[in-house]
Amino acid sequence: MTTVATTEMTTVTTAETTLGTTTGSRPVVCLDLDRTTIYSAAALGLRGPDQHAPRLLCVEVYNGVPQSFMTEEAVDAFRALQDAAVVVPTTTRTPEQLARVHLPGPPARFAIASNGGHLLVDGEIDPGWSVTVHDQLTGCAPLAEVETHIQARGGTFVLRLHTASNLFCYAVVDRPALPPGWVEALAAWCGPRGWMVSLQGRKVYAVPVGLTKSSAAAEVLRRSGADQLLAAGDSLLDADLLDAAALAIRPAHGELADTGFTRPHLAVTTATGAAAGAELLTWLCDRASIVALSVSGRV
Protein backbone atom coordinates (compact mmCIF):
# COMPACT_ATOMS: atom_id res chain seq x y z
CA MET A 1 0.00 0.00 0.00
CA THR A 2 1.29 3.43 -0.88
CA THR A 3 1.74 5.57 2.21
CA VAL A 4 0.87 9.22 1.87
CA ALA A 5 1.03 12.12 4.26
CA THR A 6 -2.06 12.55 6.38
CA THR A 7 -3.90 15.76 5.57
CA GLU A 8 -6.39 17.89 7.43
CA MET A 9 -10.02 17.09 6.67
CA THR A 10 -11.02 19.46 3.88
CA THR A 11 -13.80 21.86 4.84
CA VAL A 12 -16.63 21.79 2.33
CA THR A 13 -19.03 24.59 3.08
CA THR A 14 -20.56 25.92 -0.15
CA ALA A 15 -22.07 22.64 -1.28
CA GLU A 16 -23.07 21.63 2.23
CA THR A 17 -25.30 24.67 2.61
CA THR A 18 -27.45 23.43 -0.28
CA LEU A 19 -28.03 19.95 1.09
CA GLY A 20 -30.94 20.94 3.29
CA THR A 21 -32.93 22.44 0.40
CA THR A 22 -33.71 19.31 -1.62
CA THR A 23 -37.27 18.17 -2.14
CA GLY A 24 -36.64 14.62 -3.40
CA SER A 25 -36.29 11.33 -1.55
CA ARG A 26 -33.33 10.10 0.46
CA PRO A 27 -29.99 10.85 -1.21
CA VAL A 28 -28.08 8.24 -3.15
CA VAL A 29 -24.61 7.46 -1.78
CA CYS A 30 -22.30 5.61 -4.17
CA LEU A 31 -19.47 3.84 -2.37
CA ASP A 32 -16.40 2.51 -4.11
CA LEU A 33 -15.46 -0.74 -2.38
CA ASP A 34 -11.80 -1.78 -2.41
CA ARG A 35 -9.55 0.54 -0.38
CA THR A 36 -12.45 2.91 0.20
CA THR A 37 -15.10 0.92 2.07
CA ILE A 38 -13.46 -2.51 2.42
CA TYR A 39 -9.79 -3.38 2.86
CA SER A 40 -7.57 -6.37 2.22
CA ALA A 41 -5.18 -7.42 4.97
CA ALA A 42 -2.34 -5.70 3.11
CA ALA A 43 -4.32 -2.45 2.79
CA LEU A 44 -5.59 -2.21 6.39
CA GLY A 45 -2.69 0.02 7.42
CA LEU A 46 -2.95 -0.90 11.09
CA ARG A 47 -0.64 1.10 13.31
CA GLY A 48 0.27 0.94 16.97
CA PRO A 49 0.46 -2.00 19.35
CA ASP A 50 -1.47 -5.13 18.42
CA GLN A 51 -3.51 -4.94 21.62
CA HIS A 52 -4.95 -1.62 20.40
CA ALA A 53 -5.86 -2.86 16.92
CA PRO A 54 -9.54 -2.46 15.98
CA ARG A 55 -11.85 -5.43 15.77
CA LEU A 56 -12.51 -6.44 12.18
CA LEU A 57 -15.47 -7.90 10.33
CA CYS A 58 -14.60 -10.13 7.38
CA VAL A 59 -16.85 -9.18 4.43
CA GLU A 60 -15.27 -11.31 1.71
CA VAL A 61 -13.85 -14.83 1.45
CA TYR A 62 -11.98 -15.99 -1.66
CA ASN A 63 -10.92 -19.61 -2.16
CA GLY A 64 -11.68 -20.26 1.50
CA VAL A 65 -9.41 -17.45 2.73
CA PRO A 66 -10.66 -14.24 4.41
CA GLN A 67 -10.00 -11.51 1.88
CA SER A 68 -11.59 -8.15 2.77
CA PHE A 69 -12.46 -6.44 6.05
CA MET A 70 -14.17 -3.49 7.71
CA THR A 71 -13.43 -2.13 11.16
CA GLU A 72 -16.16 -2.28 13.78
CA GLU A 73 -16.42 1.51 13.65
CA ALA A 74 -16.87 1.37 9.87
CA VAL A 75 -19.60 -1.26 10.22
CA ASP A 76 -21.54 0.96 12.65
CA ALA A 77 -21.22 3.96 10.33
CA PHE A 78 -22.25 1.89 7.32
CA ARG A 79 -25.41 0.68 9.06
CA ALA A 80 -26.30 4.24 10.08
CA LEU A 81 -25.70 5.39 6.49
CA GLN A 82 -28.16 2.78 5.24
CA ASP A 83 -30.85 4.40 7.41
CA ALA A 84 -30.19 7.85 5.94
CA ALA A 85 -29.52 7.10 2.28
CA VAL A 86 -29.85 4.73 -0.65
CA VAL A 87 -26.43 3.09 -0.39
CA VAL A 88 -25.08 1.82 -3.71
CA PRO A 89 -21.95 -0.35 -3.76
CA THR A 90 -20.07 0.98 -6.79
CA THR A 91 -17.10 -0.98 -8.04
CA THR A 92 -14.86 -1.96 -10.93
CA ARG A 93 -15.33 -5.56 -9.81
CA THR A 94 -17.34 -7.81 -12.11
CA PRO A 95 -20.74 -9.01 -10.86
CA GLU A 96 -19.14 -12.36 -10.01
CA GLN A 97 -16.41 -10.69 -7.95
CA LEU A 98 -18.93 -8.40 -6.28
CA ALA A 99 -21.05 -11.41 -5.26
CA ARG A 100 -18.26 -12.49 -2.89
CA VAL A 101 -18.65 -9.30 -0.85
CA HIS A 102 -21.22 -9.40 1.94
CA LEU A 103 -21.61 -5.92 3.39
CA PRO A 104 -23.35 -5.31 6.73
CA GLY A 105 -27.09 -4.83 6.88
CA PRO A 106 -29.74 -5.72 4.28
CA PRO A 107 -28.71 -6.31 0.65
CA ALA A 108 -28.49 -3.19 -1.47
CA ARG A 109 -31.43 -2.47 -3.79
CA PHE A 110 -28.99 -1.17 -6.41
CA ALA A 111 -25.33 -1.96 -7.07
CA ILE A 112 -22.97 -0.83 -9.81
CA ALA A 113 -20.37 -3.30 -11.10
CA SER A 114 -17.84 -3.46 -13.94
CA ASN A 115 -17.06 0.26 -13.56
CA GLY A 116 -20.63 1.13 -14.54
CA GLY A 117 -20.96 -1.61 -17.14
CA HIS A 118 -23.52 -3.47 -15.08
CA LEU A 119 -26.39 -2.16 -12.99
CA LEU A 120 -27.68 -4.74 -10.53
CA VAL A 121 -31.23 -4.42 -9.22
CA ASP A 122 -31.99 -6.71 -6.29
CA GLY A 123 -28.88 -8.68 -7.18
CA GLU A 124 -29.80 -9.24 -10.83
CA ILE A 125 -28.14 -7.65 -13.87
CA ASP A 126 -30.48 -5.13 -15.52
CA PRO A 127 -30.58 -5.97 -19.27
CA GLY A 128 -31.85 -2.53 -20.29
CA TRP A 129 -28.83 -0.84 -18.78
CA SER A 130 -26.52 -3.31 -20.55
CA VAL A 131 -27.98 -2.17 -23.88
CA THR A 132 -27.42 1.46 -22.92
CA VAL A 133 -23.78 0.74 -22.05
CA HIS A 134 -23.23 -1.00 -25.38
CA ASP A 135 -24.40 2.15 -27.15
CA GLN A 136 -22.15 4.35 -24.97
CA LEU A 137 -19.06 2.42 -26.06
CA THR A 138 -19.59 3.08 -29.76
CA GLY A 139 -16.47 4.78 -31.07
CA CYS A 140 -14.04 3.20 -28.60
CA ALA A 141 -11.42 0.81 -29.94
CA PRO A 142 -12.35 -2.89 -29.60
CA LEU A 143 -11.31 -4.68 -26.43
CA ALA A 144 -9.31 -7.21 -28.43
CA GLU A 145 -7.13 -4.44 -29.89
CA VAL A 146 -6.24 -3.17 -26.42
CA GLU A 147 -5.53 -6.66 -25.11
CA THR A 148 -3.28 -7.40 -28.08
CA HIS A 149 -1.32 -4.19 -27.48
CA ILE A 150 -0.81 -4.95 -23.78
CA GLN A 151 0.36 -8.47 -24.61
CA ALA A 152 2.79 -7.13 -27.23
CA ARG A 153 4.19 -4.38 -24.98
CA GLY A 154 4.23 -6.42 -21.80
CA GLY A 155 7.00 -8.49 -20.33
CA THR A 156 7.67 -10.84 -17.47
CA PHE A 157 6.38 -8.12 -15.13
CA VAL A 158 2.87 -8.77 -16.49
CA LEU A 159 1.87 -11.81 -14.48
CA ARG A 160 -1.65 -12.24 -15.83
CA LEU A 161 -4.00 -10.44 -18.21
CA HIS A 162 -7.74 -10.70 -17.55
CA THR A 163 -10.85 -9.68 -19.43
CA ALA A 164 -13.66 -8.36 -17.22
CA SER A 165 -17.26 -8.90 -18.33
CA ASN A 166 -16.09 -8.57 -21.94
CA LEU A 167 -16.01 -4.81 -21.34
CA PHE A 168 -12.46 -3.98 -20.23
CA CYS A 169 -9.23 -5.66 -19.21
CA TYR A 170 -6.65 -5.49 -16.46
CA ALA A 171 -3.13 -6.78 -16.01
CA VAL A 172 -1.83 -8.13 -12.73
CA VAL A 173 1.75 -6.90 -12.54
CA ASP A 174 4.85 -7.33 -10.44
CA ARG A 175 5.05 -3.77 -9.08
CA PRO A 176 8.79 -3.81 -8.21
CA ALA A 177 9.59 -5.04 -11.73
CA LEU A 178 7.20 -2.63 -13.51
CA PRO A 179 9.37 -0.53 -15.86
CA PRO A 180 9.31 3.24 -15.22
CA GLY A 181 7.01 4.97 -17.68
CA TRP A 182 5.26 1.78 -18.85
CA VAL A 183 1.87 2.77 -17.42
CA GLU A 184 2.20 6.29 -18.81
CA ALA A 185 3.11 4.94 -22.25
CA LEU A 186 0.11 2.63 -22.18
CA ALA A 187 -2.13 5.54 -21.23
CA ALA A 188 -0.74 7.62 -24.09
CA TRP A 189 -1.48 4.82 -26.56
CA CYS A 190 -4.96 4.16 -25.15
CA GLY A 191 -6.10 7.80 -25.03
CA PRO A 192 -6.61 8.43 -28.77
CA ARG A 193 -8.43 5.11 -28.99
CA GLY A 194 -11.04 6.09 -26.42
CA TRP A 195 -9.58 4.19 -23.47
CA MET A 196 -8.11 5.24 -20.13
CA VAL A 197 -5.59 3.56 -17.82
CA SER A 198 -5.55 3.28 -14.02
CA LEU A 199 -2.91 1.73 -11.77
CA GLN A 200 -4.38 0.33 -8.55
CA GLY A 201 -2.09 -1.73 -6.37
CA ARG A 202 -0.89 -4.66 -8.48
CA LYS A 203 -3.49 -4.13 -11.22
CA VAL A 204 -3.27 -1.96 -14.32
CA TYR A 205 -6.77 -1.33 -15.70
CA ALA A 206 -7.57 -0.39 -19.29
CA VAL A 207 -11.17 0.85 -19.52
CA PRO A 208 -13.19 2.52 -22.32
CA VAL A 209 -13.83 6.18 -21.52
CA GLY A 210 -17.55 5.63 -22.09
CA LEU A 211 -17.66 3.06 -19.29
CA THR A 212 -18.14 5.18 -16.16
CA LYS A 213 -19.48 4.85 -12.67
CA SER A 214 -21.08 8.29 -12.92
CA SER A 215 -23.40 7.32 -15.79
CA ALA A 216 -24.67 4.32 -13.84
CA ALA A 217 -25.06 6.50 -10.73
CA ALA A 218 -27.20 8.92 -12.75
CA GLU A 219 -29.45 6.01 -13.72
CA VAL A 220 -29.82 5.01 -10.05
CA LEU A 221 -30.77 8.61 -9.23
CA ARG A 222 -33.42 8.53 -11.95
CA ARG A 223 -34.90 5.22 -10.81
CA SER A 224 -34.85 6.04 -7.11
CA GLY A 225 -36.34 9.51 -7.53
CA ALA A 226 -33.47 11.07 -5.58
CA ASP A 227 -31.99 14.42 -6.54
CA GLN A 228 -28.80 14.35 -4.44
CA LEU A 229 -25.74 12.20 -5.05
CA LEU A 230 -22.94 11.73 -2.52
CA ALA A 231 -19.91 9.59 -3.29
CA ALA A 232 -16.59 8.19 -2.08
CA GLY A 233 -13.68 6.66 -3.97
CA ASP A 234 -9.90 6.44 -4.09
CA SER A 235 -8.85 5.75 -7.70
CA LEU A 236 -8.72 7.46 -11.07
CA LEU A 237 -11.70 5.35 -12.11
CA ASP A 238 -13.68 7.07 -9.32
CA ALA A 239 -12.85 10.61 -10.45
CA ASP A 240 -15.90 11.03 -12.70
CA LEU A 241 -18.16 9.75 -9.91
CA LEU A 242 -16.70 12.20 -7.40
CA ASP A 243 -17.08 15.01 -9.94
CA ALA A 244 -20.76 14.13 -10.48
CA ALA A 245 -21.62 14.17 -6.77
CA ALA A 246 -22.97 17.16 -4.86
CA LEU A 247 -20.57 16.22 -2.07
CA ALA A 248 -17.77 13.69 -2.17
CA ILE A 249 -14.92 12.36 -0.07
CA ARG A 250 -11.79 10.38 -0.79
CA PRO A 251 -9.33 8.68 1.55
CA ALA A 252 -5.88 10.17 2.05
CA HIS A 253 -4.36 7.18 0.26
CA GLY A 254 -4.65 5.63 -3.18
CA GLU A 255 -4.28 6.78 -6.76
CA LEU A 256 -6.19 10.05 -6.34
CA ALA A 257 -4.16 10.95 -3.26
CA ASP A 258 -0.94 10.22 -5.15
CA THR A 259 -1.99 12.64 -7.90
CA GLY A 260 -3.23 15.32 -5.48
CA PHE A 261 -6.81 15.15 -6.78
CA THR A 262 -8.91 17.97 -5.29
CA ARG A 263 -12.27 19.61 -5.98
CA PRO A 264 -14.18 22.39 -4.15
CA HIS A 265 -16.86 19.92 -3.05
CA LEU A 266 -14.42 17.13 -2.17
CA ALA A 267 -13.27 16.28 1.37
CA VAL A 268 -10.20 14.22 2.25
CA THR A 269 -9.91 12.02 5.31
CA THR A 270 -7.32 12.67 7.98
CA ALA A 271 -6.67 8.93 8.31
CA THR A 272 -5.29 6.37 5.86
CA GLY A 273 -5.96 2.64 5.59
CA ALA A 274 -9.03 1.05 7.15
CA ALA A 275 -9.38 3.96 9.59
CA ALA A 276 -10.07 6.18 6.58
CA GLY A 277 -12.94 3.87 5.65
CA ALA A 278 -14.61 4.44 9.01
CA GLU A 279 -13.96 8.18 8.82
CA LEU A 280 -15.44 8.68 5.36
CA LEU A 281 -18.51 6.55 6.14
CA THR A 282 -19.18 8.67 9.23
CA TRP A 283 -18.70 11.85 7.18
CA LEU A 284 -21.16 10.66 4.54
CA CYS A 285 -23.69 9.57 7.16
CA ASP A 286 -23.63 12.98 8.81
CA ARG A 287 -24.29 14.76 5.53
CA ALA A 288 -26.83 12.26 4.20
CA SER A 289 -28.77 12.66 7.44
CA ILE A 290 -29.16 16.37 6.71
CA VAL A 291 -30.90 15.51 3.44
CA ALA A 292 -33.06 12.83 5.07
CA LEU A 293 -34.22 15.26 7.76
CA SER A 294 -34.94 17.89 5.13
CA VAL A 295 -37.09 15.48 3.14
CA SER A 296 -39.03 14.53 6.25
CA GLY A 297 -39.64 18.22 7.01
CA ARG A 298 -37.87 18.05 10.36
CA VAL A 299 -35.30 20.73 9.44
Side-chain angles (χ1 to χ4, degrees), residues 34-256:
D34 296 279
R35 301 187 76 208
T36 299
T37 305
I38 66 176
Y39 291 79
S40 67
L44 285 170
L46 301 179
R47 297 173 177 82
D50 289 346
Q51 63 266 30
H52 296 150
R55 291 197 295 183
L56 302 172
L57 173 69
C58 177
V59 295
E60 179 189 15
V61 173
Y62 181 52
N63 289 334
V65 178
Q67 188 76 12
S68 298
F69 306 87
M70 296 174 70
T71 66
E72 193 171 49
E73 182 182 357
V75 169
D76 291 342
F78 185 87
R79 288 182 178 274
L81 183 59
Q82 287 177 313
D83 291 335
V86 178
V87 176
V88 183
T90 304
T91 180
T92 305
R93 288 174 177 241
T94 65
E96 294 76 18
Q97 293 168 333
L98 175 58
R100 299 197 303 257
V101 178
H102 300 283
L103 296 168
R109 173 83 166 100
F110 299 102
I112 295 169
S114 305
N115 206 63
H118 288 116
L119 176 61
L120 282 72
V121 182
D122 293 327
E124 300 295 329
I125 294 174
D126 184 88
W129 180 248
S130 298
V131 172
T132 298
V133 168
H134 181 271
D135 294 341
Q136 290 176 342
L137 301 186
T138 302
C140 296
L143 171 61
E145 180 181 342
V146 178
E147 288 183 298
T148 299
H149 179 81
I150 294 175
Q151 290 168 341
R153 297 296 189 274
T156 56
F157 58 89
V158 176
L159 306 179
R160 296 182 298 279
L161 181 61
H162 298 279
T163 298
S165 301
N166 204 33
L167 291 170
F168 62 94
C169 60
Y170 62 94
V172 180
V173 299
D174 180 356
R175 279 295 293 266
L178 188 64
W182 187 83
V183 173
E184 291 78 7
L186 177 61
W189 182 89
C190 284
R193 292 163 176 82
W195 286 65
M196 66 179 295
V197 173
S198 173
L199 174 62
Q200 301 179 39
R202 297 174 60 239
K203 295 179 180 179
V204 179
Y205 289 88
V207 179
V209 294
L211 191 67
T212 64
K213 294 179 178 181
S214 61
S215 60
E219 179 66 9
V220 173
L221 279 172
R222 186 186 70 81
R223 296 191 187 196
S224 66
D227 55 13
Q228 289 283 355
L229 173 65
L230 284 68
D234 73 299
S235 80
L236 183 61
L237 295 176
D238 297 311
D240 66 286
L241 177 65
L242 302 182
D243 279 339
L247 283 177
I249 185 169
R250 68 165 174 83
H253 62 246
E255 192 177 26
L256 293 180

